[in-house]
Every structure is written in structure tokens, then in C-alpha cells.
Amino acid sequence: MLLIWIHNKELAGDSVLEAIICDKARVLHEDRVKKTPGTLADSIDFISSKGWFDNFSKRSGIHSVVKHGEAASSDNPAAERFIEEFTEFVEAEGYLLQQVFNCDEKGLFWKRLCKRTYITKEEKSLLGRKPMKDRFTLVLCGNASGVLKNKPLLVYHSENSRVFKEYKVQKNQMCMMWKANNKAWVTRIFFMQLVNEVVCPAIEKYLQEKSLPLKALLLLDNATMFLLMLQAWKMNC
């Protein structure tokens, strides 16, 4: 019965921790005693302890895995080929680490479930669901040498947070570009503003200060963002 419950949770994408499994085991035992009094279950003083859980894990084959927000079936061979091709391209074009940049977005959740869960032995991995809680999105950009870290873009669902009003915070004086929309997503307009107002000027100034050629290589994680960056870069130039 406990394995069936774990499997149902697994199909629903819910997190199942050791403490939750132990609590459920105790509840199942209590229900069994109430439904069938005087049986073997009624005579057992059941304690869902750490030792019981370890033994149950060994018998049932359940194991702990990390949940993933995206599918775990990425094309690893293609990624390996890209690393080799990209390295050859950088060397052929004569780019230095100071001229190679990477830009990517990252969501930061204020409230979220744990990343680990227990699944049945038949499963090797479990696809998780992104917890849509209070969050904001960061867009970070820096070069491969780690010397230049551009001013990040922060997108939140509130244009003027309560703390801004309380402490009279000036957004234009913050160490980040603050933008807002209902879903805290990076829009085309926000990204274009980041490129034109922050990324391009900062890279150009940095290359001039280091007496490096005025050319830079930028890595982005998807075609849409690449086209936006390319269009913004041409407009800025």
C-alpha cells in the first residue's frame, strides 16, 4: 500500500521525502488497525523510525533522486560535439577569454519545494514541475575570464515594491536594471534595453581599457534570444 502511494505521488510529480514516507506509513498502519482489529497488525507496536525506513528502502528498492524542471533527455552527444566545435572556432578566430561572453537568464524562487524525492526502483529519474511561486528573473552576462560581470537585469512582478517606498529606494541607482511585469518574465523590450544600455557599452569600454580588438563573442542558450541580441547589437553599433 505504501509503494502504491509513493508511485501515485511519483506520477503526480510531487516531492516525497523520508519524513513524509514515514508519516504515511504510520497513518496506513493506524488505518489498518482500525479496519481489522485483533489481527497481526493490531498486535505490532509499529514505529516508523530511521531504521525502519532504511530497511524498507532496501526491500522495496526506492531511491532518492533530484527532480528536474526540464526533461532529462538532453542530447549529450550533441553537447559534446558543440564543445569541440566551439573551442576550434574560438582558437581559429583568435578570441581571448576576455572577449568571450555568456548571457543567460535564471529564475529565483522565494518559495519552492525541495529538489529531492524518493521514487520506486523501476524508475531511474523523475521529471519535476517548476514551482510557480513568488519569483523574479535574473539575466546575467559576463566574460569567460570572469573579470567583466555586466550589470544584471532583474524582472519582478511589482514595479514599485513596498520596501522601495518605505526606504525611498531609487531604482536608477541600484546595482541592477529593475524591470517589472505580471509574470516576471524577460520580454523582448527588456532584453533590448539591457543590450543597448548596459551590455554593449560595458563590453566596448572594457575592451578599450584592456587595449583589445573591438570584437566580442557572445553565447546564448536559445535561438530566439540570439536573434534578439543580434538585432540589438546591430542597432547599438
Side-chain angles (χ1 to χ4, degrees):
M1 293 174 64
L2 185 57
L3 279 176
I4 293 174
W5 176 81
I6 294 175
H7 181 64
N8 291 335
K9 288 290 185 179
E10 178 183 306
L11 295 177
D14 297 334
S15 296
V16 184
L17 303 179
E18 176 181 340
I20 298 176
I21 294 176
C22 290
D23 288 341
K24 185 63 178 180
R26 186 179 66 256
V27 171
L28 289 175
H29 179 266
E30 292 174 354
D31 291 343
R32 184 71 175 254
V33 171
K34 291 179 182 179
K35 293 179 180 179
T36 56
T39 60
L40 179 61
D42 194 6
S43 63
I44 296 177
D45 186 15
F46 176 71
I47 300 177
S48 55
S49 61
K50 170 67 175 177
W52 169 85
F53 178 81
D54 292 340
N55 291 330
F56 173 75
S57 301
K58 294 177 182 178
R59 294 194 306 271
S60 61
I62 65 171
H63 53 285
S64 178
V65 297
V66 176
K67 299 177 68 176
H68 298 279
E70 298 178 353
S73 58
S74 57
D75 193 347
N76 292 327
E80 295 293 335
R81 291 194 302 270
F82 174 77
I83 293 175
E84 297 178 0
E85 294 173 359
F86 180 74
T87 303
E88 294 176 357
F89 176 79
V90 170
E91 294 176 352
E93 296 294 328
Y95 284 102
L96 301 176
L97 292 180
Q98 294 92 326
Q99 297 171 286
V100 180
F101 291 82
N102 181 41
C103 184
D104 202 356
E105 62 180 3
K106 181 68 176 180
L108 180 60
F109 295 87
W110 295 101
K111 301 174 184 179
R112 63 177 302 173
L113 296 173
C114 59
K115 297 177 66 175
R116 302 199 68 89
T117 185
Y118 280 89
I119 61 177
T120 53
K121 64 179 179 180
E122 291 80 8
E123 300 292 334
K124 300 298 181 182
S125 62
L126 178 68
L127 300 182
R129 295 179 297 180
K130 292 184 178 180
M132 299 305 294
K133 300 294 184 180
D134 192 13
R135 65 185 289 273
F136 61 79
T137 304
L138 278 172
V139 178
L140 306 173
C141 182
N143 60 2
S145 64
V147 177
L148 177 59
K149 299 176 183 178
N150 291 314
K151 184 178 181 179
L153 167 66
L154 188 151
V155 185
Y156 194 49
H157 61 74
S158 175
E159 179 68 32
N160 294 297
S161 180
R162 183 181 302 175
V163 68
F164 288 175
K165 301 176 182 178
E166 183 177 354
Y167 292 96
K168 298 180 180 180
V169 176
Q170 300 295 326
K171 293 196 290 290
N172 58 356
Q173 298 179 359
M174 298 174 64
C175 61
M176 65 195 71
M177 177 182 286
W178 182 282
K179 299 294 179 180
N181 59 35
N182 292 334
K183 296 184 178 180
W185 286 352
V186 180
T187 63
R188 177 180 180 273
I189 295 177
F190 293 166
F191 192 75
M192 296 279 284
Q193 290 176 342
L194 175 68
V195 173
N196 291 325
E197 300 175 16
V198 177
V199 175
C200 288
I203 293 178
E204 183 178 2
K205 180 181 177 181
Y206 171 76
L207 295 177
Q208 290 176 345
E209 291 177 350
K210 299 298 181 181
S211 301
L212 295 172
L214 291 180
K215 67 174 185 177
L217 183 63
L218 184 67
L219 268 177
L220 298 171
D221 65 346
N222 60 67
T224 303
M225 185 175 288
F226 172 77
L227 293 176
L228 288 175
M229 176 65 86
L230 183 59
Q231 181 179 359
W233 198 291
K234 289 181 178 179
M235 290 176 59
N236 187 73
C237 295

